[in-house]
């Protein structure tokens, strides 16, 4: 005989809505990772939960074209379009990496109509570098 399924809560009166579209985000953080081969744009709320992301690869660019400024501009536009619909007005921008897409992504963010509170370069810099390898043969 089949075991009866016990229901904990009733869904009869509660509406089931998609959480992603219901969330209103007035302020967020935009992270731009620009390497030589790709540019990744991640947009989070202030608590660090990812709201939207895009990269040059997901926008349809293949191979070496992913590292171009135009690919970065397209990726930034795609990522920002979804959060502007969710009501984002202000953002902080963190840019990391040495790639060509840094300036192009920033230009696309400025054009989107989001007010930027600050722009910070968070590229990791070695203070004195790593300790060198032990010489193999002396």
């Amino acid at each position: 005989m089949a075991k009866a399924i016990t229901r904990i809560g009733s869904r009869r009166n509660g509406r089931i809505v998609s959480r992603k579209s219901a969330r209103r985000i007035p302020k967020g953080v935009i992270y731009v990772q620009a390497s030589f081969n790709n540019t990744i744009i991640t947009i989070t709320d202030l608590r660090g939960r990812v709201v939207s992301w895009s990269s040059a690869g997901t926008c349809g660019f293949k191979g070496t074209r992913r590292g171009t400024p135009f690919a970065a501009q397209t990726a930034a536009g795609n990522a920002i379009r979804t959060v502007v619909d969710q009501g984002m007005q202000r953002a902080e921008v963190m840019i990391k990496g040495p790639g060509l897409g840094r300036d192009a992504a920033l230009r696309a963010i400025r054009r989107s109509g989001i007010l930027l509170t600050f722009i910070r370069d968070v590229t990791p810099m070695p203070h004195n570098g790593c300790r060198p390898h032990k010489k193999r043969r002396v």
Side-chain angles (χ1 to χ4, degrees):
M1 188 171 139
K3 192 174 171 186
I5 300 168
T6 56
R7 295 231 170 144
I8 294 170
S10 172
R11 286 193 184 176
R12 216 173 307 136
N13 55 3
R15 285 185 306 159
I16 301 165
V17 222
S18 172
R19 275 187 53 220
K20 268 198 159 94
S21 61
R23 221 184 279 157
R24 300 290 289 172
I25 305 137
K27 193 170 184 220
V29 187
I30 301 172
Y31 295 92
V32 179
Q33 283 181 282
S35 69
F36 290 118
N37 297 319
N38 202 355
T39 304
I40 303 167
I41 316 287
T42 310
I43 303 173
T44 68
D45 58 5
L46 290 179
R47 288 180 59 185
R49 296 176 297 191
V50 174
V51 180
S52 170
W53 70 275
S54 182
S55 72
T58 57
C59 292
F61 292 93
K62 294 267 192 283
T64 53
R65 289 194 312 205
R66 286 183 310 181
T68 61
F70 177 67
Q73 179 183 320
T74 310
N78 282 4
I80 287 172
R81 198 174 305 125
T82 57
V83 292
V84 168
D85 295 342
Q86 292 180 20
M88 187 178 282
Q89 290 135 2
R90 298 177 192 278
E92 305 167 355
V93 181
M94 309 284 194
I95 301 178
K96 182 195 279 191
L100 299 169
R102 293 166 55 104
D103 300 331
L106 186 58
R107 232 174 281 129
I109 293 166
R110 292 292 277 274
R111 270 203 312 266
S112 68
I114 292 178
L115 189 74
L116 302 182
T117 51
F118 69 84
I119 301 164
R120 180 179 287 169
D121 189 356
V122 289
T123 308
M125 287 286 181
H127 295 298
N128 201 10
C130 298
R131 184 173 174 170
H133 290 294
K134 183 170 76 82
K135 294 282 186 275
R136 289 180 66 178
R137 290 178 195 85
V138 181

